[in-house]
Amino acid sequence: MDFSNSLLSWYLQNKRDLPWRNTVNPYPIWLSEIMLQQTKVAQGLPYFLTFMKAFPTVLHLAQADEEQVLKLWQGLGYYSRARNMHKTAQIIAFELKGNFPKNYNDLIKLKGVGEYTAAAIASFAFNEVVPVVDGNVFRVLSRYLDIETDIASAPAKKEFSALAKELMPQNNPAFFNQAIMEFGALQCVPKNPDCTNCIFNTSCAALQKKKVTELPVKLKKTKVTNRYFNYLVFLDNSNKTLINKRTEKGIWHNLYEFPVIEAEEELDFESISRAVSEKYIDFSIDSIVVYNPEQIIHKLSHQKLHINFYRVAVTEEILEGISLDILKKYPFPIVIYNFIEKYSI
C-alpha cells in the first residue's frame, strides 16, 4: 500500500486539469479515451473540445453525417477510430436508448472498444474495480518492480493487469488508474525520466539496479512498408478539379483524395506523364507540372508514404469536378489538406 498511497498523494499535487476528469458521464470519458489512443493529450485536447461543442451528447454524434465526423477528426490520424466511434454512437443512441453499458464485460463488446478503453470507462464512469493497462502503466510497473516480460508478448497484459489490480485500492479504482497513467505520462516518461526528483527513487527496483533505460522490454518491431503515391490535381479553365472518396479498406477509408497513381517504387516524371495519358484518355492534357520540388514523406505507424502532387491542366471542362472554392469542406487526409493549404489549391 505504500506504493498506492505515495502515488495517490503525488497525483493530487501534480495532476493536469483535463475536462474528461471532472465528470463520471461515460460519453465524454469514452470520447476522450478513443481520441487519446495513439495520441498525446496536447494533440487530442483541442479535438475533444471541438467534438464536445459539435456533438454535446451521444445522440448528437449518432445523428451526424460520417463526413462531418471525419472532417472534424482531420489531422488526428487512425481514422478507423472515428468511423468506429460514429457507429458505436449510433448503437448506443438508437439500440441502447442512449445508455452506455455499465460494466467492463458489456463495454468491451462495443465496436472500437478494446480492453484498455473498456477498463477506463468502467473504472472512471462506474467505479468498477478493473485495472487500466496502457503504455504508461507497463512502463511504471516494469521499472518499479523490475519486470523483464516483453510487453509486446501475449502474456504481458494479463501479468501487468494482475499486478495493477493487486496494488489498486478497492474503494477507489478510478483514482488509482488515473494516478498511475498520469505518473507515467508526466514523471516516469519513456526517455530521460527525472529519477532524482521521483517519489519512488528509494524503492524503484530499476533505478537501484541501473536498468531504467532498459525497461520496459519490447522486442516485437513493426515492419514498415514503403508506398508511393502520385496525386493528380486536374484543373480546367473554370478552376474545377476532381476528387474521389477512398472506399477501399485500409488507410484513409472514406476520406477524399485526388486521383492517384500508386506504385511499389518511385516513378519518374516520364512514367507519370505516360500513365496519365494512358489512364485518362477522355481528357486533352495541356500540361503536367510537379507541385512539390521535394518529395513529401508522411509516416504512419506501419507505413512510410512517399508523395508527389502533379498539376494536370486539361482543355475540356471537368463535368463531374468540384470548384476549388469548396475543396476544403471535404474531409481529406491531413497530408493532402496541408498540400491544399500550402499551394492555395
Side-chain angles (χ1 to χ4, degrees), residues 156-171:
K157 181 65 72 70
K158 188 174 182 181
E159 178 183 354
F160 280 85
S161 292
L163 288 168
K165 193 167 186 177
E166 197 176 315
L167 294 166
M168 175 186 292
Q170 300 297 295
N171 61 340

Side-chain angles (χ1 to χ4, degrees), residues 1-19:
M1 288 301 291
D2 285 344
F3 174 85
S4 300
N5 290 336
S6 297
L7 180 66
L8 297 180
S9 177
W10 175 91
Y11 181 61
L12 283 172
Q13 297 176 49
N14 296 278
K15 67 175 181 174
R16 291 168 289 184
D17 183 20
L18 301 172

Side-chain angles (χ1 to χ4, degrees), residues 70 77-80 83 227 229 231 244-257 260 298-300 303 305 307 309 331-336:
L70 290 173
Y78 300 93
Y79 290 89
S80 61
R83 294 191 299 272
R227 299 176 72 179
F229 287 6
Y231 284 112
N244 308 310
K245 181 181 276 193
R246 194 176 176 92
T247 55
E248 64 266 29
K249 296 295 183 183
I251 63 167
W252 303 336
H253 178 63
N254 281 359
L255 296 179
Y256 285 83
E257 63 182 359
V260 63
H298 188 65
K299 294 180 181 179
L300 305 175
Q303 297 182 35
L305 309 184
I307 300 173
F309 291 89
F332 288 98
I334 194 62
V335 66
I336 297 179

Side-chain angles (χ1 to χ4, degrees), residues 13 15 17 46 70 82 87 104 187 222 233 236 241 247 251 258 314 317 336:
Q13 297 176 49
K15 67 175 181 174
D17 183 20
L70 290 173
K87 290 172 185 173
Y104 173 87
Q187 176 66 40
T222 306
V233 185
D236 66 12
T241 190
T247 55
I251 63 167
F258 296 107
V314 297
E317 180 186 358
I336 297 179

Side-chain angles (χ1 to χ4, degrees), residues 292-294 296 336-345:
N292 49 303
E294 289 188 15
I296 297 168
I336 297 179
Y337 183 83
N338 287 342
F339 159 78
I340 294 169
E341 285 268 275
K342 182 175 181 178
Y343 290 93
S344 302
I345 301 302

